[in-house]
Amino acid sequence: MVATTVVPTHKEMSKALNSCGTMLLNTRILTPEGFAALSEAADKLQSKTELAWDYSIPIQNPVSFLPCVDRQGRKFIPKIGVKEISVVTPANSEAIPFKKWDIALTLEFEDESVHCPRWHFDMANLDQPGPITHLQYGGYKHAPHNHLDSSVQQPRWFTPPMDVILLCEVVAANFFQEIWIQSLRQERRWLALIHQSQKICYPHYLAQLSKSIGVSGANVLLDASWNDQWADRRP
Amino acid sequence: MTKGIFIDDDEDQQRVLSALLSQGGIDFSEIVPPTTISDVSKRVLHIVPDIIVMDYRLDVVRKEGYDSDFRAGGLAQVLRELFLEHPDNDAPIVLLSTEQNIRNLFAPDKTSHDLFDLWFLKAKLQSPEPGSRDDMLSALGGLVTAYSDIKQITDNVDSEHLVRSLLKLEQYEYATIPTEGLKPLLVNAGGEPEATHLIARQILKRLIEKPGILLDESTLRARLGISENDHNGFSALTAAAGFDEFLYDGVFSSHWKRFWRHRFNQWAGETFDYPLSGIIGAERVGLLNAKFDLEIIPAVSRWSGTSSEFFVTACRVCDGPTELRYSVAAFDPRITAFSERGRICYDCVDRQEELERKQIRIEEADEQIVRDIRSNIIKRPGE
């Protein structure tokens, strides 16, 4: 059975952003500034509409986590910025529930001369080659040291959309694994948040997977995900 | 009439300062000499003052009938205990002393800090500038009003609704803001409200004196990217955009002007297509000027000297607008969801003096930046 897309109301998502921030703050993963950024987005959601809402978190005032250290002992801060996430209630669970989805995770090194890894998730623009929802590495980050920016835009990996809560979980689990295991992974309130976001983000992806794998003669997954197949199905 | 007592072992000071304190509308004419702690306690129970102001040194003058072996901290501790037994008499306690005593004696005496609602320099009260004195006298009045409001609310509201009643918010609005961790500070383990002075301290220190779910005017200006000197511009914008709708009117609001952050954020979300924090100061002000037909002056970074910065908050030290990239985090051992961690601009880190005077500490993680600024490794842009 394929899961159904469930889009929470703007107020439910507002509450979720605050809860997510509070829990990450209390477990000492998120900076107070990062919490304030999530909370600001939560406040703004309050005045949106129930069935179509959006939020942005500028990278200049990002969801910033506590400093981590790489293998060479260099300090970096994981930061999440949301250019825009705009959600609509889809017609069915095969449709993408996002009008806009543009979010990035950057590991910002203290030392300006070090390349900062950046993963950028978004939806393909009209006529852009690549999967409709994709992840690509790099992008513009290093001004004025532009030579540090990655000059290759490909590959664009087919990926399910992740909202800011799901991406926060990725950061928590990967960069703060012990805390995530001890304080979050089985915490009921945390799981409720993650489940809520999964129900927005994953059902249409799952439907696509299921269709490609389970129906003989159907388009293979990457082909089915390619932007040109979505021309008349874009949200 | 509202009654206060001012306790000082120097009789001349007691007389002069009591007269000055009385100019704020609180009657400080009752004299309570600091003979012994026990005597003072009895007098306090008898007089039932609405506020108690005391000098730090109560042990200097030695004369017949004076113990001369206690200072303000010792006396305040006994009075706080007394108020636990007599909750109706609970009153704010304010320290009023010389800069030297505050710096050399009170500052290191950290265990006594929580005993005082506020502290002031005697010089502020004696200042020839009426604005400085008026502000202090207004703060004393604000404390009296807050204590009275808290008592009235704790007497009449059940603990379940205590926090939102103190903050004067309806349930539907209260439910939308992050207040986790606030209730356990105001309600004890048995579900009863804490003593008035404990509730007052938590609200004043954690919600009023630092930004969080409530913002002061300086922080609001920084979020808007407005120059801290453009008072007319801010006033005009306040009127045009209806910022009075964001005003906090819960306890302590009679003296401390604060704005609800969530109401401001919602207004910003409805008024602008993109979050202001992602737009440089000059452009923010450009948008405001165009939208409200004003001529507001943009904020200028004290470090980079330009308005092309993403101003985010007011510096804890200088109160000027500052940006994340040219500021360090203020040390805060009590990080909560309802308060924001303060920032200190590079300029104040560099100049050092005011930072030390205000005794604001910097987060350990940012100490290297502090060293780099002071040794000129981190330079101002263009230097």
Side-chain angles (χ1 to χ4, degrees):
Chain A
M1 195 183 90
V2 174
T4 309
T5 304
V6 181
V7 175
T9 66
H10 61 307
K11 292 195 172 183
E12 286 167 338
M13 183 45 66
S14 166
K15 200 173 172 192
L17 292 186
N18 266 329
S19 296
C20 173
T22 303
M23 293 179 79
L24 294 173
L25 186 74
N26 289 343
T27 49
R28 300 289 182 266
I29 288 179
L30 199 63
T31 63
E33 292 78 10
F35 173 72
L38 275 170
S39 201
E40 185 178 332
D43 285 342
K44 288 177 182 169
L45 272 168
Q46 287 288 333
S47 48
K48 304 290 178 183
T49 59
E50 202 159 293
L51 297 176
W53 42 261
D54 59 89
Y55 60 88
S56 304
I57 302 174
I59 192 63
Q60 296 84 2
N61 193 20
V63 182
S64 54
F65 293 79
L66 257 57
C68 305
V69 176
D70 76 355
R71 278 188 298 190
Q72 296 178 43
R74 299 175 304 190
K75 212 157 90 174
F76 66 89
I77 295 172
K79 292 183 171 180
I80 296 173
V82 181
K83 192 169 176 197
E84 186 175 352
I85 286 184
S86 172
V87 172
V88 286
T89 300
N92 56 55
S93 288
E94 287 185 16
I96 297 176
F98 292 97
K99 226 159 98 181
K100 292 209 172 121
W101 171 62
D102 191 329
I103 183 169
L105 166 65
T106 307
L107 306 185
E108 192 165 289
F109 277 81
E110 204 174 46
D111 181 347
E112 274 192 1
S113 64
V114 177
H115 166 73
C116 301
R118 177 176 185 267
W119 293 268
H120 178 209
F121 302 76
D122 72 340
M123 282 170 66
N125 299 324
L126 257 182
D127 301 327
Q128 188 186 53
I132 178 76
T133 57
H134 61 250
L135 157 66
Q136 64 190 127
Y137 184 81
Y140 304 107
K141 156 74 190 93
H142 293 92
H145 308 287
N146 294 345
H147 65 281
L148 290 171
D149 284 336
S150 165
S151 58
V152 180
Q153 295 186 314
Q154 293 80 14
R156 294 189 175 94
W157 302 88
F158 180 40
T159 181
M162 300 177 94
D163 69 356
V164 70
I165 292 175
L166 294 177
L167 206 50
C168 280
E169 190 198 28
V170 169
V171 173
N174 281 277
F175 296 105
F176 304 94
Q177 192 194 190
E178 276 183 38
I179 296 173
W180 179 66
I181 290 173
Q182 282 171 17
S183 308
L184 291 170
R185 191 158 73 166
Q186 295 186 334
E187 222 278 344
R188 289 167 66 105
R189 278 174 61 207
W190 179 253
L191 293 179
L193 290 176
I194 301 299
H195 277 303
Q196 178 173 282
S197 284
Q198 287 186 159
K199 284 181 192 165
I200 312 171
C201 294
Y202 294 162
H204 75 92
Y205 184 78
L206 189 60
Q208 194 66 60
L209 276 180
S210 174
K211 212 165 154 184
S212 281
I213 294 169
V215 180
S216 100
N219 296 10
V220 296
L221 187 63
L222 194 60
D223 179 29
S225 77
W226 214 252
N227 196 21
D228 57 6
Q229 305 278 1
W230 284 80
D232 53 354
R233 286 188 290 151
R234 294 180 67 87
Chain B
M1 187 178 182
T2 310
K3 273 184 298 189
I5 55 172
F6 172 56
I7 305 172
D8 196 328
D9 60 351
D10 181 321
E11 280 180 27
D12 288 341
Q13 288 270 301
Q14 169 121 36
R15 190 173 40 76
V16 172
L17 295 179
S18 291
L20 286 171
L21 285 166
S22 295
Q23 290 180 1
I26 301 174
D27 176 11
F28 277 91
S29 60
E30 193 94 43
I31 301 295
V32 178
T35 47
T36 66
I37 288 190
S38 153
D39 276 353
V40 175
S41 301
K42 282 182 199 145
R43 292 294 307 279
V44 165
L45 278 185
H46 177 71
I47 297 168
V48 194
D50 298 291
I51 186 164
I52 300 166
V53 182
M54 58 178 77
D55 182 28
Y56 186 78
R57 294 293 303 266
L58 302 171
D59 57 347
V60 178
V61 174
R62 296 180 181 275
K63 56 186 179 186
E64 186 70 28
Y66 280 61
D67 265 356
S68 298
D69 61 355
F70 62 91
R71 293 177 179 175
L75 177 58
Q77 176 64 53
V78 171
L79 292 177
R80 291 301 193 200
E81 284 171 23
L82 190 72
F83 293 146
L84 289 176
E85 289 171 36
H86 301 274
D88 289 345
N89 298 2
D90 206 343
I93 304 179
V94 174
L95 191 63
L96 180 66
S97 200
T98 62
E99 182 154 14
Q100 193 184 7
N101 284 344
I102 294 280
R103 189 176 57 233
N104 299 339
L105 300 171
F106 176 63
D109 180 19
K110 291 200 165 63
T111 48
S112 77
H113 287 193
D114 284 347
L115 297 167
F116 300 97
D117 294 271
L118 292 172
W119 62 265
F120 291 101
L121 297 179
K122 283 181 175 174
K124 185 166 177 146
L125 181 61
Q126 293 167 309
S127 165
E129 286 175 34
S132 166
R133 186 167 65 233
D134 292 349
D135 183 63
M136 176 188 159
L137 296 175
S138 164
L140 298 185
L143 276 177
V144 171
T145 307
Y147 267 61
S148 159
D149 289 347
I150 293 169
K151 282 180 200 166
Q152 200 266 332
I153 291 167
T154 50
D155 283 348
N156 294 295
V157 174
D158 64 83
S159 297
E160 196 49 43
H161 301 292
L162 182 71
V163 183
R164 72 169 183 83
S165 302
L166 291 165
L167 304 181
K168 219 169 167 189
L169 278 187
E170 293 297 329
Q171 181 61 36
Y172 74 90
E173 193 173 3
Y174 177 65
T176 67
I177 59 173
T179 55
E180 194 173 301
L182 191 51
K183 188 178 163 194
L185 296 173
L186 308 178
V187 176
N188 67 22
E192 298 296 320
E194 293 283 11
T196 300
H197 65 269
L198 297 174
I199 291 177
R201 186 177 83 214
Q202 300 292 4
I203 295 180
L204 186 60
K205 303 294 170 196
R206 290 167 177 264
L207 291 182
I208 302 291
E209 289 187 349
K210 57 201 274 196
I213 54 175
L214 294 175
L215 304 177
D216 61 9
E217 194 174 304
S218 307
T219 309
L220 198 64
R221 283 162 182 268
R223 305 242 154 131
L224 290 159
I226 300 176
S227 162
E228 72 260 46
N229 301 318
D230 187 10
H231 302 291
N232 291 340
F234 184 75
S235 299
L237 179 63
T238 298
F243 286 178
D244 284 351
E245 295 291 313
F246 315 154
L247 278 174
Y248 165 73
D249 61 352
V251 293
F252 286 105
S253 61
S254 69
H255 171 73
W256 288 267
K257 187 177 179 183
R258 295 293 180 272
F259 300 87
W260 282 111
R261 182 181 66 185
H262 66 285
R263 290 185 191 167
F264 167 71
N265 282 342
Q266 281 177 36
W267 167 83
E270 287 162 12
T271 311
F272 301 103
D273 293 336
Y274 194 64
L276 290 176
S277 58
I279 305 171
I280 59 169
E283 286 175 15
R284 277 182 221 176
V285 166
L287 289 170
L288 289 167
N289 283 339
K291 174 119 193 140
F292 296 103
D293 194 21
L294 298 170
E295 290 178 4
I296 304 167
I297 301 164
V300 173
S301 162
R302 293 192 183 194
W303 187 253
S304 70
T306 78
S307 299
S308 303
E309 301 293 348
F310 298 94
F311 299 104
V312 66
T313 193
C315 167
R316 281 284 306 280
V317 179
C318 68
D319 241 15
T322 188
E323 51 283 329
L324 274 182
R325 70 168 170 167
Y326 295 139
S327 63
V328 292
F331 172 64
D332 188 345
R334 300 175 181 130
I335 287 178
T336 61
F338 52 80
S339 63
E340 296 178 8
R341 180 166 61 174
R343 306 288 304 180
I344 301 160
C345 71
Y346 278 12
D347 194 51
C348 286
V349 173
D350 193 24
R351 285 191 288 112
Q352 214 164 326
E353 195 180 300
E354 192 66 0
L355 177 68
E356 282 166 11
R357 198 182 70 75
K358 291 194 171 173
Q359 304 208 343
I360 295 171
R361 309 279 299 275
I362 292 167
E363 276 285 351
E364 217 177 329
D366 284 345
E367 283 177 353
Q368 185 60 44
I369 297 175
V370 174
R371 285 191 287 276
D372 289 351
I373 290 171
R374 290 181 185 164
S375 56
N376 217 19
I377 292 171
I378 294 179
K379 295 186 171 74
R380 288 169 198 269
E383 223 177 57

